[in-house]
Amino acid sequence: MKRSTLFVLAATVVAFSAPASAQFAKAEDAIKYRKNALFVMQQNFSRVAAMAAGKAPFDAKVAADSAAVAEFVGKLPWAAFGEGTDKGDTRAKPEIWKESAKFKEYADKMQAEMSKLSAAAKTGSLDNIKTAVSATGGTCKSCHDDFRKD
Ligand code: ASC
């Protein structure tokens, strides 16, 4: 086989067998990526949660914008939990990879509640926001309880 043919074959194998995590050059990049995405999500979520708790003045526009950012950014971390990203600067528990169906269920639930929060914030009703913040916060907590080392 010609070398150029071999190269094309090898490149094709790499391209099509690549898991979602392969978008990262190094495991540490994946870890940094998911932590940063979760941080940006948390900052936006907690801004809305502070309004819901009466710890910050309610600003409907800020709440709606923040919830929309949290909703979008909350979709990003999950592709960065690929194989080989369990070790390093991370509090991720090994259970994430052992009970991956359960982990995905939690991640999906969080995203569903975050979407509801974003929809609630668009209504401009603080009462709607309070209900959704509570449901969303519950999904953050249950995943941390089961899948994050403290
Ligand atoms: C936050 C944050 C969490 C959740 C959780 C809600 O702002 O960082 O992990 O809310 O505390 O129970």
Side-chain angles (χ1 to χ4, degrees):
M1 206 180 292
K2 282 201 311 193
R3 263 172 102 169
S4 57
T5 313
L6 260 180
F7 178 80
V8 169
L9 261 179
T12 309
V13 168
V14 169
F16 290 97
S17 60
S21 58
Q23 65 184 281
F24 304 101
K26 296 174 282 180
E28 67 179 271
D29 288 348
I31 292 170
K32 210 190 275 184
Y33 180 94
R34 70 197 187 208
K35 286 167 77 173
N36 286 321
L38 288 163
F39 176 72
V40 172
M41 182 187 78
Q42 186 275 337
Q43 291 289 294
N44 283 276
F45 171 73
S46 66
R47 192 176 302 126
V48 182
M51 293 182 202
K55 292 181 185 154
F58 178 48
D59 181 321
K61 168 130 177 68
V62 172
D65 289 349
S66 301
V69 172
E71 179 188 15
F72 180 75
V73 178
K75 299 178 197 298
L76 305 182
W78 319 109
F81 283 93
E83 292 296 325
T85 66
D86 54 331
K87 300 221 164 50
D89 186 15
T90 178
R91 282 183 288 169
K93 280 189 182 172
E95 281 74 13
I96 289 173
W97 294 272
K98 288 187 206 130
E99 299 166 31
S100 53
K102 182 177 168 192
F103 181 64
K104 185 180 185 307
E105 205 178 285
Y106 280 28
D108 289 348
K109 178 86 174 125
M110 184 281 282
Q111 290 168 85
E113 295 301 338
M114 201 64 89
S115 293
K116 287 191 211 165
L117 174 60
S118 185
K122 285 191 182 81
T123 69
S125 150
L126 188 55
D127 279 342
N128 290 348
I129 293 172
K130 283 180 187 171
T131 306
V133 159
S134 164
T136 307
T139 67
C140 301
K141 185 177 184 314
S142 54
C143 195
H144 291 163
D145 287 350
D146 290 2
F147 292 111
R148 188 180 74 173
K149 294 173 204 158
D150 291 313

